[in-house]
Amino acid sequence: MREYKVVVLGSGGVGKSALTVQFVSGTFVEKYDPTIEDFYRKEIDIDGSPGVLEILDTAGTEQFASMRDLYIKNGQGFLLVYSIVNAQTFIDVQPMRDQISRVKGGTVQPMILIGNKCDMEQERSVNSRDGQMLASEWGCPFFETSAKSNLNVAEAFLEIVRQINKIKQKQKDKSCCILL
Ligand code: GDP
């Protein structure tokens, strides 16, 4: 079975653990230790093909920032998460994306931009349009999700797998061209 290594990045409190746990076990966690960094595995069916998704839920706290290079190096796809009710977390995703680019030597990486907590519409401080614009600047898909209401959660995780497959296929095609 194919394995897909996905890394969930974003500032503390944006809902990385909640999204991961919702996807893996179908429950919403109100309280989760923010310093816990964990691996999750979930068997998936992606457009008719079986696979295993290995998800690294990063801690997102500064004391672990130096660890990021390491998991970025090992990751094949990245979910960059901010909270739609916290504008600073939207600002924070840019340097994370830059870090991925730097660690991966500037090559195009499978990536999804996620605005989480979209159930909290009344407290929204990041427009959908701004999220969409940033994603199109990055050339990646964009989802607004709610780990609480289980909105778009599986969609985002399955889309990153599709992105990984797509970019892998492109690289294969390229190397075939070079061989020819
Ligand atoms: P992390 O530090 O990024 O892993 O964030 P957590 O997953 O620990 O979530 C931080 C807090 O936000 C917790 O109290 C969660 O219950 C809450 N939370 C996470 N996702 C959502 C969501 O989609 N909607 C709402 N309303 N709360 C959320």
Side-chain angles (χ1 to χ4, degrees):
M1 248 196 291
R2 273 181 92 154
E3 281 200 358
Y4 301 90
K5 291 186 200 310
V6 171
V7 183
V8 187
L9 291 165
S11 306
V14 297
K16 297 180 298 296
S17 303
L19 284 167
T20 307
V21 173
Q22 179 60 266
F23 176 64
V24 173
S25 53
T27 52
F28 175 63
V29 281
E30 259 327 315
K31 284 264 160 288
Y32 197 85
D33 185 339
T35 61
I36 290 181
E37 195 153 84
D38 219 348
F39 267 114
Y40 297 80
R41 282 171 72 86
K42 187 177 168 75
E43 289 192 13
I44 50 158
D45 185 292
I46 185 78
D47 305 325
S49 309
V52 176
L53 201 53
E54 199 177 82
I55 306 159
L56 175 63
D57 167 24
T58 65
T61 52
E62 273 316 305
Q63 72 194 104
F64 296 111
S66 58
M67 288 280 291
R68 269 199 226 125
D69 275 14
L70 199 64
Y71 30 76
I72 290 172
K73 217 174 241 171
N74 294 327
Q76 297 172 307
F78 303 90
L79 298 181
L80 277 97
V81 186
Y82 65 91
S83 160
I84 68 148
V85 299
N86 184 336
Q88 181 59 45
T89 66
F90 183 60
I91 294 168
D92 292 342
V93 289
Q94 183 68 56
M96 292 181 195
R97 197 259 183 185
D98 295 342
Q99 191 178 5
I100 294 170
S101 181
R102 178 176 56 74
V103 173
K104 294 288 197 182
T107 55
V108 178
Q109 292 300 313
M111 201 177 284
I112 310 263
L113 180 64
I114 294 178
N116 188 41
K117 305 198 186 184
C118 72
D119 56 285
M120 296 173 77
E121 191 55 46
Q122 273 94 343
E123 288 155 65
R124 178 189 282 275
S125 60
V126 183
N127 281 332
S128 296
R129 220 174 336 111
D130 290 338
Q132 229 136 27
M133 266 165 59
L134 185 61
S136 56
E137 197 183 292
W138 291 358
C140 78
F142 170 64
F143 288 92
E144 281 199 344
T145 61
S146 167
K148 189 173 186 177
S149 330
N150 196 10
L151 191 90
N152 273 341
V153 178
E155 285 79 357
F157 278 96
L158 294 181
E159 186 56 31
I160 192 65
V161 174
R162 290 196 191 97
Q163 292 288 315
I164 293 172
N165 283 336
K166 207 162 114 186
I167 289 178
K168 259 191 196 154
Q169 189 58 45
K170 264 194 194 152
Q171 283 163 348
K172 243 190 221 165
D173 292 348
K174 235 189 208 167
S175 53
C176 285
C177 286
I178 291 166
L179 284 175
L180 285 171

